[in-house]
Amino acid sequence: MERKSGVLMHISSLFGDYSTGSFGNEAKYFIDFLKECGFSYWQVLPFCMVDECNSPYKSYSSFGGNPYFVDLNVLNQKGLVTKEELDEQKQQTPYSCEFVRLYHTRQKLLLKASKRAENREEIEKFIADNPYLESFCRFMSLKEANGELPWYEWKNSTINEETLFMWKFIQFEFFSQWSEIKKYANDRGIKIIGDIPIYVSLDSADVWSNPELFMLDCENKPLKVAGVPPDYFSEDGQLWGNPLYNWDKMEQDNFKWWQDRISHMLTIFDGVRIDHFRGIESYWAVDGKADTAKDGKWIKGPGEKLVNAIKKAAEGKLIIAEDLGNITDEVEKLVKLSGFPGMRVFQFAFMDGADSTHLPHNYPKNCIAYTGTHDNNTLLGYLWELNDYDRRRMLEYCGYISPDWERGYDSILRTMFASHAGLLIIPIQDLLGYGSDTRLNIPGKADGNWQYRITKEQLDGIDKQKFRRFNELYKRM
């Protein structure tokens, strides 16, 4: 694992004028910021469409791209969106994603843009060459034709051709625009890490087109659903509700669907994190009709067989195993066997006073260290909410002994930069030193998540020379 550092920030959190971040010049500006600071990686969250709670971890497709990330200025430059239409899309606030507004307006504008596209043959060929995207476009068109009902309740099989082409146009623009951003990053020495949710949504093109690969009953309802038992985040556990895989069926073709998924992701990213990697060793199975995840049970997963299929598809590119949560000896053995770097999170290091694997002195070189993830509080928010004893103990560990604990923030950052971890990733909120009001997600909470955005002025206010010096001093450049 090369000794480098990077920043965690989703595309939606980028600044811009149109209610959410996108694949425009703002992304290039952020890449230039990373390079100036001496960072080498940009980590993002899943690129798929969000669900009704705006989460990118439950989507209509694990292959398709989020329409909101298509940059409107690029479409304007191509003559596909007018200046007046751009003005109508101007946001009301720069500080949070306007998901309700996007839901009601963005697709209507993209439909207009698709009707003006003159490169229809190019778009059709791109989709034809990507069968998973073609399936997604058909799924979304049929979903509209059936009043947005879930696929297992569809009656109408007639597709509106304008709607179908709109979705093809969106996916063509999404991947074309992202390809330019990724090239811009790579040309400047910045690599992009993507994110793969281990499970998919029941109401998705993935399950609709491959029902035999999932544990469904005769009515296409899930027999068992995914989740996690009670833990640090939730006393009832987390009932995710995703259908579980039919691993026996998947094994028959050496997990082709998974290999295709990994290959697809590694064409748009330089590496990927597999969320909830422990589910490959054993997964928490809950009855499909349960109200909470409390009464589930652990069932053995495909383990080494799937890991080998993933490694075959990855062809040596970076795969990160998210090995957080309820981790057993068997999970640790599987992570070690895979050779994939696992994760260490500073905020988990001081929870019980034990010699935790999350304490920086225990970090192996082959791991990715984080001050916190998208599911954690910000570092400053975490510090603020700690009791006095644990806060003093933690800051003393980081070499800071003073009653004025707020000045000890940088000592934590220095400790993380100096750690033995091969790769250090810091959320953008922790670069800014922001509190819990900028937290991205609270697991188990349905509303109010995923909305955080930065402004250009906030990004420009970060002390770039400080982080460049940290990267130089601790040999992460």
Side-chain angles (χ1 to χ4, degrees):
M1 188 78 213
E2 58 181 349
R3 187 169 177 79
K4 299 292 184 182
S5 65
V7 175
L8 169 62
M9 186 184 71
H10 196 31
I11 299 298
S12 60
S13 294
L14 276 167
F15 60 93
D17 297 325
Y18 304 105
S19 300
T20 186
S22 68
F23 298 152
N25 287 330
E26 296 85 359
K28 295 179 179 179
Y29 191 92
F30 182 68
I31 289 164
D32 292 338
F33 162 83
L34 293 175
K35 182 174 176 58
E36 191 172 347
C37 290
F39 292 117
S40 304
Y41 283 86
W42 177 6
Q43 183 171 343
V44 296
L45 302 184
F47 271 11
C48 50
M49 290 183 70
V50 298
D51 70 357
E52 64 276 4
C53 296
N54 307 313
S55 169
Y57 288 89
K58 193 175 180 183
S59 179
Y60 292 134
S61 171
S62 56
F63 291 83
N66 187 339
Y68 300 160
F69 294 167
V70 172
D71 187 69
L72 299 186
N73 285 319
V74 171
L75 298 186
N76 172 252
Q77 291 161 13
K78 291 183 175 181
L80 302 175
V81 170
T82 68
K83 177 65 168 58
E84 292 72 24
E85 288 166 341
L86 272 186
D87 290 341
E88 290 172 359
Q89 296 286 320
K90 284 285 179 72
Q91 64 204 17
Q92 296 174 340
T93 175
Y95 300 111
S96 64
C97 295
E98 299 174 330
F99 287 118
V100 173
R101 189 160 183 257
L102 286 165
Y103 178 81
H104 288 290
T105 63
R106 188 56 55 88
Q107 187 173 315
K108 293 176 182 177
L109 178 60
L110 293 174
L111 175 60
K112 291 180 181 178
S114 70
K115 292 178 180 179
R116 297 165 184 157
E118 296 180 353
N119 58 333
R120 295 182 71 96
E121 288 187 11
E122 183 184 16
I123 293 170
E124 293 285 1
K125 183 180 186 308
F126 171 77
I127 297 299
D129 289 342
N130 292 273
Y132 287 101
L133 294 183
E134 184 171 40
S135 175
F136 169 56
C137 293
R138 289 193 172 277
F139 174 86
M140 295 305 295
S141 302
L142 283 166
K143 193 168 182 62
E144 181 187 275
N146 285 274
E148 304 301 323
L149 290 171
W151 65 267
Y152 42 86
E153 296 181 15
W154 289 352
K155 305 295 184 184
N156 182 11
S157 60
T158 303
I159 288 178
N160 181 306
E161 291 300 323
E162 282 190 347
T163 301
L164 178 59
F165 182 75
M166 175 196 69
W167 282 106
K168 292 178 178 180
F169 166 81
I170 289 171
Q171 295 307 298
F172 175 83
E173 284 295 330
F174 178 97
F175 288 101
S176 298
Q177 291 184 17
W178 174 247
S179 178
E180 181 178 335
I181 297 300
K182 182 176 181 295
K183 184 178 186 305
Y184 187 90
N186 291 167
D187 287 348
R188 285 152 184 79
I190 305 297
K191 295 181 179 179
I192 314 288
I193 298 174
D195 199 315
I196 299 180
I198 187 171
Y199 296 119
V200 300
S201 174
L202 173 63
D203 190 20
S204 68
D206 306 296
V207 183
W208 168 68
S209 58
N210 302 282
E212 72 282 359
L213 300 181
F214 300 86
M215 294 177 61
L216 307 178
D217 63 19
C218 58
E219 295 180 346
N220 290 317
K221 301 291 181 63
L223 296 165
K224 300 283 185 180
V225 295
V228 290
D231 61 8
Y232 169 76
F233 290 115
S234 173
E235 62 182 25
D236 284 334
Q238 296 176 46
L239 184 64
W240 297 338
N242 310 78
L244 294 171
Y245 294 110
N246 183 341
W247 290 120
D248 290 338
K249 180 67 175 178
M250 283 192 157
E251 188 181 342
Q252 291 177 10
D253 61 4
N254 195 26
F255 307 97
K256 182 181 183 300
W257 183 88
W258 262 96
Q259 289 200 55
D260 290 347
R261 189 183 188 191
I262 295 293
S263 297
H264 171 73
M265 292 300 168
L266 289 175
T267 62
I268 57 177
F269 301 118
D270 300 295
V272 292
R273 185 193 83 128
I274 299 179
D275 189 53
H276 196 60
F277 185 85
R278 71 100 58 240
I280 295 175
E281 192 282 322
S282 292
Y283 53 92
W284 189 249
V286 184
D287 186 272
K289 298 178 181 178
D291 294 324
T292 75
K294 267 187 175 181
D295 298 323
K297 66 177 182 178
W298 290 109
I299 298 177
K300 280 291 180 183
E304 185 179 356
K305 294 175 182 177
L306 178 57
V307 164
N308 289 336
I310 289 171
K311 290 171 76 170
K312 179 181 177 183
E315 298 180 332
K317 291 187 177 181
L318 175 65
I319 302 288
I320 300 170
E322 188 268 281
D323 53 349
L324 306 175
N326 192 327
I327 302 304
T328 63
D329 290 343
E330 289 78 13
V331 177
E332 291 179 359
K333 289 176 183 176
L334 184 63
V335 174
K336 185 175 181 180
L337 176 72
S338 72
F340 303 152
M343 291 175 57
R344 300 293 184 270
V345 180
F346 181 80
Q347 291 186 35
F348 296 155
F350 300 87
M351 291 174 62
D352 55 13
D355 189 19
S356 168
T357 58
H358 294 284
L359 283 163
H361 71 264
N362 285 325
Y363 294 171
K365 182 178 181 181
N366 190 38
C367 83
I368 319 295
Y370 296 79
T371 51
T373 73
H374 64 275
D375 282 334
N376 289 106
N377 200 345
T378 67
L379 181 58
L380 184 63
Y382 166 72
L383 267 172
W384 187 265
E385 295 173 15
L386 270 182
N387 62 70
D388 288 340
Y389 173 77
D390 286 335
R391 188 190 299 121
R392 284 198 304 270
R393 184 167 61 95
M394 184 181 65
L395 289 171
E396 182 181 1
Y397 177 94
C398 296
Y400 184 82
I401 304 173
S402 170
D404 187 8
W405 65 265
E406 292 179 22
R407 295 177 179 269
Y409 189 87
D410 275 6
S411 67
I412 299 174
L413 296 180
R414 283 182 176 273
T415 298
M416 295 298 285
F417 272 94
S419 75
H420 192 52
L423 179 56
L424 168 66
I425 299 290
I426 304 175
I428 186 65
Q429 297 97 316
D430 292 352
L431 288 192
L432 288 157
Y434 282 177
S436 58
D437 57 325
T438 63
R439 182 171 180 168
L440 188 62
N441 181 48
I442 300 176
K445 180 176 178 288
D447 300 322
N449 293 320
W450 315 107
Q451 295 180 345
Y452 171 70
R453 292 180 75 193
I454 60 170
T455 66
K456 181 177 181 295
E457 292 73 22
Q458 289 169 348
L459 188 68
D460 289 341
I462 293 174
D463 187 347
K464 293 186 279 291
Q465 291 309 308
K466 177 178 78 172
F467 287 104
R468 186 171 188 87
R469 183 57 183 153
F470 283 173
N471 277 309
E472 290 172 342
L473 189 62
Y474 299 110
K475 309 302 179 187
R476 293 192 178 275
M477 290 180 65

